[in-house]
Amino acid sequence: MKIRYVYIIIALVLVACSPQSNTLTSKAFHNTTAHYNGYYYALEEITKIEVTIRKNHKDDYNRVLKLFAPLDSVLAKSYDKEIQEAVKMASIAIQRHPNSKWVDDSYVLVGKGRLYSFDWGNAIQTFKFVNTKGKELNTRHEALIWLARTFTEHGEFNNAEATFDFLQKQKLSKTNLKHFYLEKAHYYQVREDDNNFVKYLTEAVPLLKKKDRPGRIYFILGQVYQQLGFESEAYNYFRKCLDTHPEYEVDFYARLYMAQVAEISKSRNIANARKSFKKLLKDSKNKEFKDKIYYEMGVFERKQNNIDEAFANFELAIREGNNPQIDGEAYLRMGQIYYDTLRNYEFAKLYYDSAVTTLSKDHEEFNAVKNRQEILAEFVAHLKTISWQDSLMVMAKMDSASLVAHISAVLESQKKPEIKSRKKKKRARIDIAQVSSTLNTATGIEGTDWYFGNPSALALGQQEFKRIWGAVALEDNWRRSSRAVPTTQRTNTIAAANNTPAEETAPAEETSHVDPVLAEFTRISKELPRTEEQVAEALEKIEDAYFLLGDVYYFKLQEKDNAVKTYETLLTRFPQTEYKPEVLYKLYLMYKDTDATRAERYASELKNIFPESTFAKILINPDYLLESSQVVEKQKLIYRNAYHQFEAYQLDSTIALLDEALALDKTAFTPNLELLKVLALGKTEEIARYQYRLESFIKQYPEAEVTAYAEKLLKASRDFELKREKEKGIKYIASFDEPHYFVMIFRSDAKLEDVAAKALDGFNQTNFSSAGLKVSNLIFNETNSITFVSGLSGMKDAQQYYRTFIEKQPGLNALKSHKFDTFVITKNNFDIFYRTKGLHEYLQFFEKNYIPKNP
């Protein structure tokens, strides 16, 4: 009997183990086995992955915290083994226990594994499968919630929105409803919709349990409300956060932000807020958070318009910590003070430079900060160009002794007086006076004369030290050469004083043995504009800088008053500037809404002096550009027809069509029409006339796109003519009843141009003062140059001039020690001579036709 009972029990167990069995014992067996084997171990692996994702995300408390840690494709590779194990164990529960109630839940775990491994397609299909084939309604809803999460992470926002809309109409369990609100809040956070983010996160609050980390969610709500300006609500949620006893970092930041909103929103007692900050600073547990406390103190003081205190706290935030994100935020805030409040763009540029260097590239404001930094860099570059070029022109008028004395005075002014004490001397490290006075003037706060009693001066001194020496650790022997900061990080003092780039100056270590005055004198002397050409170049740089500086003020900094001053300075210093039409038009635009009289004065000047300019035409007809573009389209259509006629050699039709197009108006397409007309006329004219037309076109339209092509055509024509003349042999024309030139040709390395021109001018004034002769210089070829006299009417006058020059040449002292050849030549022969470079051939022609033979 005992053996029978054993057999019966074994048979019942075997029947219960069958996957196809639906008996009570079978269901109990499979439910238990699926739950505590495959599903349990799969859930353990998925939980590990979620912990890994959360731990590897570093919260940025300067921004609203992320509700869910973002997924990282690089990190996903590190937990690939766990993903495979989770999918394997969940698949075991599905395949071996198909009738258990844990099949749908196992499929959900498979979908989550696919989601965390960035297998979007399979994750979506898995969750859809559970929703379609699942037996348990709550599990199907859970799958849809995870489907919406997958769509959100993958950026399929329309699909996510549709899934949420469907779920909203369903009756969800409390757990699913909580996750629905959290997932929808996450969706709106990703979409940067703060209002809906707060709405759905608030809906989730009553459903939260301890495992949901409610303190963190309360903290996020407090951050959003503070950001939206609802400080009372923010305070309430920060207080709720503290009541949940969250992890210390969240607890600390909740207390810190409460100091920003609590007292101010309730009693307006600013002193209590400052006391709260100081209390946080004194707490030893907050030692590693000191930089953040000082940063928030700076933000707080900035809200109270206490610029000096804000600045000092931001500096302390940089000094106290080593968190580059907080450093970057502090630099940005200081740059904003100089930019928005003090309007000191040169100092703002320095802090924006530091902010761009320090902030991470994925910072939400990085692109905007980078853009402003580039604008400030451009602004400061134009200012420095004006200042430096003006300084150079002033110094160029000094003699050497005065210049050395000036440089010595500048160097001396950069030295700091030594503060003596009984024990040691302390060197002042930076000139704080100017910066501190800027802050005090802007804020109306008087500072103290004692350096260490002025928090602004002290903070700026620390910043200057870091700028020169770098982030040097506080330890002995920090100034030893082996610990020296790279010289590229140092700023040459005199270069800064003269507004020149630091990289142009020599490193201090390499020049310490050189007299600094002499070194600076040598450097500056090389840049001084001493010749007319150099002065013109310096003035051109200043002219361009004023124009571009005005554009920065007008378009990028949105400061019309400064833009007007800059443009008017440009017109005053450079009344004939090429930018005048555009500047007049911009001044008209800036004044037309505020000062109609001045606006009309600029408009009248533009229309009267530059009636053909584009800006005058726009002023007269606001639709000019639109109409001009329509004219261009008509011209292009006519041009196309004219070109077909040109290809068919129908030259008269070509020219007629081009004249029709040119008569419409002068537009940006006009050069194309003119060049085709030159080509058409060139087909019917001699080559010299064709070359002349090309030369005229190049002079008339130097900036046109087709000018380069015209230059190639002209060069090809000349090369062809030269080749043909060489094949035939150089032949000069024996036609003498036409204008002549007197030519003096000499080697270029003799540098005789100016000497010869002055000598011939003097010769003309003495012997041919009433003839109206003109002296010019011309480069002949790589080795020779020409000085020639024009205005000789015919052969007899030319011969008379030549004979007189030969007779008087011994008395021309300036030419005595120089070698040169002289002759007279007709204008047509000069063209052949200059083109073919046939000097020897012409000298033979000259002797044969101009020098009388002895009887």
Side-chain angles (χ1 to χ4, degrees), residues 174-219:
K174 284 188 176 182
T175 301
N176 281 337
L177 185 61
K178 175 184 66 177
H179 289 300
F180 168 78
Y181 287 140
L182 291 174
E183 290 295 346
K184 197 157 189 182
H186 170 66
Y187 167 81
Y188 282 115
Q189 185 177 37
V190 172
R191 301 299 301 273
E192 298 180 355
D193 184 344
D194 286 343
N195 290 325
N196 280 312
F197 174 51
V198 168
K199 173 184 174 182
Y200 285 99
L201 201 56
T202 305
E203 294 282 356
V205 166
L207 303 171
L208 294 176
K209 295 183 178 180
K210 188 173 182 180
K211 65 179 181 179
D212 298 315
R213 298 197 296 168
R216 177 185 175 83
I217 292 176
Y218 290 140
F219 180 81

Side-chain angles (χ1 to χ4, degrees), residues 759-770:
L760 288 175
D761 270 332
F763 173 78
N764 292 342
Q765 291 297 323
T766 302
N767 300 285
F768 300 92
S769 59
S770 61

Side-chain angles (χ1 to χ4, degrees), residues 499-562:
N499 298 315
T500 56
E503 57 266 23
E504 294 180 5
T505 61
E509 289 88 340
E510 298 177 7
T511 60
S512 58
H513 62 284
V514 178
D515 181 358
V517 176
L518 180 60
E520 198 63 17
F521 174 79
T522 303
R523 185 184 69 81
I524 291 176
S525 295
K526 294 177 181 178
E527 298 185 47
L528 294 178
R530 299 191 183 278
T531 66
E532 291 184 4
E533 292 79 4
Q534 290 172 336
V535 171
E537 183 180 352
L539 289 171
E540 184 178 358
K541 290 179 180 178
I542 295 172
E543 179 183 349
D544 293 342
Y546 268 119
F547 176 75
L548 296 172
L549 185 63
D551 281 356
V552 173
Y553 271 129
Y554 186 24
F555 296 111
K556 299 179 179 179
L557 298 179
Q558 301 292 313
E559 291 199 15
K560 289 187 177 181
D561 290 341
N562 282 325

Side-chain angles (χ1 to χ4, degrees), residues 649 651-652 655 678-687 693:
Y649 213 78
L651 302 179
D652 291 340
I655 294 170
V678 169
L679 296 178
L681 291 170
K683 296 284 188 180
T684 62
E685 296 175 337
E686 60 182 12
I687 193 168
R693 289 186 185 279

Side-chain angles (χ1 to χ4, degrees), residues 722 744-749 753 777-787 830 833-841:
L722 177 61
M744 176 186 295
I745 185 168
F746 45 84
R747 289 185 61 83
S748 299
D749 54 16
E753 293 88 344
N777 288 317
L778 188 66
I779 295 174
F780 181 62
N781 56 24
E782 294 180 357
T783 57
N784 294 305
S785 295
I786 289 173
T787 299
F830 184 82
F833 165 71
Y834 188 76
R835 186 171 59 250
T836 62
K837 312 302 180 188
L839 175 60
H840 177 70
E841 290 81 359

Side-chain angles (χ1 to χ4, degrees), residues 239-251:
R239 170 55 65 190
K240 286 182 179 180
C241 171
L242 295 177
D243 290 342
T244 64
H245 306 291
E247 57 248 37
Y248 184 74
E249 192 170 16
V250 175
D251 181 283

